[in-house]
Amino acid sequence: MIRQPPLGKTLMPRGSTPPNAITILHVAAEAGVSKSTVSLVLKNSPLIPEETSQRVREAARKIGYVYNRRAAEMRLKSSNTIGVVINDLMNPFFAEVLIGIERKLVEAGYIVFMAHTNENLELQEKVLLSMREQNAAGIVLCPAFGTPNSLPKMVKAWGIPLTVIVRTLGAGSYDFAGSDNERGVYLATKHLIDAGHKRIGFLGGRAGVTLQQRIAGYRTALTESAIAFDPALVLSANPNRQGGHYTMCALLDIRPRVSAAVAYNDIVAFGALSALGERGLRAGKDFALMGFDNVLDAAHSNPPLSTVDIRPNELGEHAAAILLARIAEPNRARQTYLAAPDLVLRQSV
Amino acid sequence: MIRQPPLGKTLMPRGSTPPNAITILHVAAEAGVSKSTVSLVLKNSPLIPEETSQRVREAARKIGYVYNRRAAEMRLKSSNTIGVVINDLMNPFFAEVLIGIERKLVEAGYIVFMAHTNENLELQEKVLLSMREQNAAGIVLCPAFGTPNSLPKMVKAWGIPLTVIVRTLGAGSYDFAGSDNERGVYLATKHLIDAGHKRIGFLGGRAGVTLQQRIAGYRTALTESAIAFDPALVLSANPNRQGGHYTMCALLDIRPRVSAAVAYNDIVAFGALSALGERGLRAGKDFALMGFDNVLDAAHSNPPLSTVDIRPNELGEHAAAILLARIAEPNRARQTYLAAPDLVLRQSV
DNA sequence: CTGAAAGCGCTTACAG
DNA sequence: CTGAAAGCGCTTACAG
């Protein structure tokens, strides 16, 4: 996907702020020391006696000096920034993951470049390239649908630590944070079976490894309980609210009736809830529905959604921690975090 | 709130990537030209004949050259980055606004520093400072609750163009993108009144200008129809799903009964929908409910929510456009975008 | 403990 | 049309 080395004009620089004309040279003059001394003071070097340090800080304050981090980074060849690229911010799951990542990274002293690809591969390529040009210290990527499995290797070749999240990218050796999709859906399906349901649908989801894993969990639970897998009961659609609405409508029209379903994720389930409501049905009474993710909204949907909790926030934090560890120790072994799914039972079953 | 000039250690730089050892000097050597020529080629200068340009590009490609944007920016004293700081990403409204901002900015060739303050003033201060150190070409800020009205002036003093969004910050002269809160809620309330409702509640919202504006709209509509404003019917709570759930429960307990409500925003309305459901009530049949924002979810809630559409995405794009215009022309007149609210009627009334 | 010097990777006049 | 030189704001040996 990304072939050519990015030349200078990949992104055009614009907007020229004349930031602060005030440099350490001015501070040095004001304090009556050399600029190296100022530099040492700014990094709290023990070489500088307290008295001098005080004087320098005072001078800096007085003339309104602002540290120019980019100049420092350029000299040091270091970087304070990390890129986070997200495929679908419209889904609160990813928003919650992003929040976790960002919080952890800021806590660690980084600042994040955020880019939203909206599942667009070309855009993903563009932002990745631009993060490279910007000299990001690391990248966390939730790949857009269709991202080639060669991507992690490519980014590694760039010399930039990478953590991929949520969607795996083949069997290569890259750091990963996601959830145990198969087990999660297995648990959800099993719960429905244990509650006596025999005809259980699977709602929504777009072709890809994640969908495969989730459907595998669904099949396993079925098979284990000697319920035949019926492909007519798995309805795929884009993993969003419309998809959930649409597939639920279709599912309700199937005869013999199906009495329960597990949704690809929570927002698909929300769409399904909406479809149910339109037909005068209520989940938890007339139909049993399980979601996946446990986004914040799930606790207050109508009715509150039973779902598979993979703690989105925490997932984000783990992703950040993995990246940080990789940056600190580039040659460490491959790292993986798979959120262990927990059932959270509310009123939709 | 932000007093001291930020010194070097505000944020500690970490992670040192040894980016690309390959510079324009190497390209120059490979292509047999001087480094100035390479630089000119990279910026597509017409000074360089096509043949030379070809050769240089080929050399760059061959040896895997990567443009170092930060070095260029340092030399140019320009900046390619814009900071976006958001108070509450957990609310899909802000996520949608963010998406609009980011899309527009990336389109314009920028890359965005995103920070989530979670309504935390100290964090907001920290990230603003760090964006300053990073030399952001501009900032769009959705202020956390309690942000002092002096903030825009301060950022202006830094020499960084600022657009504040959604929540106003006093009467100062700063660029702003938001929505016409008063008129929006006025329309929503009026719609309820026209449908015959007399006792109409107001649900959720946290003290601040936005809440004041929205309640003003509510009062105006009431007064206009000669319905007495009853403070007992406005229930405030944090503007989230729990707040909506909680206030709706309280509202349902009021006697004489209230038959309709307008919510502070959509997620408050979602929480209210959930509370209604728990009591065996359905919005649109047993109760009339209006939201505010028209987030994506509103079309597929249970039941689909009637709300005030302020087009969150578009609002974000306008905010970005305003900032871009300010960067291009620092001395232009104050810019303001106020989304004109439209009623979108679905099934909750 | 402090100062002079070199250099991070670029761009931009200025000569030729 | 191309090359040598200076400089963006920092940091880091290296002398003193």
Side-chain angles (χ1 to χ4, degrees), chain B residues 146-176:
Chain B
T147 299
N149 288 348
S150 56
L151 191 137
K153 204 188 306 177
M154 180 189 72
V155 175
K156 181 180 239 176
W158 292 356
I160 304 183
L162 171 75
T163 299
V164 355
I165 61 171
V166 181
R167 321 225 255 230
T168 56
L169 246 25
S173 173
Y174 51 89
D175 291 336
F176 180 78

Side-chain angles (χ1 to χ4, degrees), chain B residues 272-311:
Chain B
L273 248 23
S274 163
L276 247 12
E278 277 174 30
R279 304 247 183 149
L281 268 25
R282 185 160 173 87
K285 216 176 50 157
D286 313 304
F287 195 92
L289 183 67
M290 300 272 329
F292 193 104
D293 284 345
N294 196 25
V295 298
L296 249 26
D297 321 57
H300 294 280
S301 55
N302 183 24
L305 186 69
S306 292
T307 188
V308 176
D309 188 9
I310 58 169
R311 289 148 275 128

Side-chain angles (χ1 to χ4, degrees), chain B residues 15 46 103 121 149 210 219 229 251 286 326 329 332 334:
Chain B
R103 179 193 313 149
L121 279 179
N149 288 348
T210 306
R219 286 189 77 147
F229 170 77
L251 195 72
D286 313 304
R326 171 71 52 208
E329 202 185 323
R332 65 186 301 144
R334 181 183 185 200

Side-chain angles (χ1 to χ4, degrees), chain A residues 24 35 39 65 67 75:
Chain A
I24 53 171
K35 67 173 177 166
S39 179
Y65 169 73
Y67 185 65
R75 175 60 232 252

Side-chain angles (χ1 to χ4, degrees), chain B residues 26-300:
Chain B
H26 300 95
V27 177
E30 177 72 26
V33 297
S34 84
K35 67 175 177 166
S36 353
T37 304
V38 175
S39 180
L40 291 172
V41 168
L42 293 185
K43 58 182 299 215
N44 292 319
S45 165
L47 294 180
I48 309 295
E50 185 53 26
E51 193 273 329
T52 309
S53 168
Q54 287 289 332
R55 193 151 40 92
V56 169
R57 283 174 203 286
E58 187 42 52
R61 186 157 298 138
K62 182 173 166 199
I63 65 179
Y65 170 73
V66 177
Y67 185 66
N68 186 327
R69 182 165 305 281
R70 309 186 74 156
E73 291 184 351
M74 153 125 184
R75 174 62 231 252
L76 260 18
K77 285 157 149 283
S78 73
S79 169
N80 198 27
T81 65
I82 285 177
V84 178
V85 1
I86 299 289
N87 57 313
D88 181 12
L89 262 184
M90 245 93 111
N91 181 341
F93 167 71
F94 292 108
E96 292 177 33
V97 171
L98 172 61
I99 289 172
I101 296 172
E102 194 262 356
R103 179 193 313 149
K104 190 91 179 176
L105 257 21
V106 166
E107 219 174 273
Y110 287 93
I111 176 161
V112 349
F113 278 131
M114 191 283 287
H116 178 222
T117 62
N118 198 26
E119 306 288 9
N120 179 330
L121 279 179
E122 282 176 37
L123 195 50
Q124 178 171 286
E125 171 174 342
K126 177 180 170 182
V127 299
L128 251 16
L129 248 23
S130 113
M131 285 169 180
R132 185 189 190 194
E133 285 193 358
Q134 287 289 347
N135 210 337
I139 291 179
V140 4
L141 168 71
C142 185
F145 281 122
T147 299
N149 288 348
S150 56
L151 191 137
K153 204 188 306 177
M154 180 189 72
V155 175
K156 181 180 239 176
W158 292 356
I160 304 183
L162 171 75
T163 299
V164 355
I165 61 171
V166 181
R167 321 225 255 230
T168 56
L169 246 25
S173 173
Y174 51 89
D175 291 336
F176 180 78
S179 63
D180 191 337
N181 293 312
E182 178 162 353
R183 176 152 178 82
V185 172
Y186 166 82
L187 290 174
T189 310
K190 179 137 182 16
H191 180 76
L192 260 13
I193 294 171
D194 290 347
H197 296 280
K198 298 267 183 259
R199 289 181 61 73
I200 301 171
F202 186 94
L203 259 34
R206 182 164 157 181
V209 267
T210 306
L211 182 59
Q212 281 168 27
Q213 292 164 347
R214 294 189 185 175
I215 287 185
Y218 165 78
R219 286 189 77 147
T220 304
L222 255 29
T223 307
E224 202 181 274
S225 300
I227 298 177
F229 170 77
D230 180 353
L233 265 35
V234 353
L235 305 176
S236 85
N238 279 336
N240 55 29
R241 298 168 193 87
Q242 285 100 299
H245 185 276
Y246 174 79
T247 51
M248 180 53 107
C249 287
L251 195 72
L252 289 174
D253 289 336
I254 292 177
R255 293 294 172 278
R257 281 210 150 73
V258 348
S259 60
V262 5
Y264 177 75
N265 65 17
D266 285 350
I267 59 171
V268 165
F270 294 148
L273 248 23
S274 163
L276 247 12
E278 277 174 30
R279 304 247 183 149
L281 268 25
R282 185 160 173 87
K285 216 176 50 157
D286 313 304
F287 195 92
L289 183 67
M290 300 272 329
F292 193 104
D293 284 345
N294 196 25
V295 298
L296 249 26
D297 321 57
H300 294 280

Side-chain angles (χ1 to χ4, degrees), chain A residues 43-95:
Chain A
K43 60 184 294 219
N44 292 319
S45 164
L47 295 180
I48 309 295
E50 185 53 25
E51 194 273 329
T52 310
S53 167
Q54 287 288 332
R55 193 151 41 91
V56 170
R57 284 175 202 288
E58 188 42 52
R61 185 157 299 138
K62 183 173 167 198
I63 65 178
Y65 169 73
V66 176
Y67 185 65
N68 185 327
R69 183 165 303 282
R70 308 186 75 156
E73 291 183 350
M74 153 127 184
R75 175 60 232 252
L76 259 19
K77 286 159 149 280
S78 74
S79 169
N80 198 27
T81 64
I82 285 178
V84 178
V85 1
I86 299 290
N87 56 312
D88 181 13
L89 262 183
M90 247 94 113
N91 181 342
F93 168 71
F94 292 109

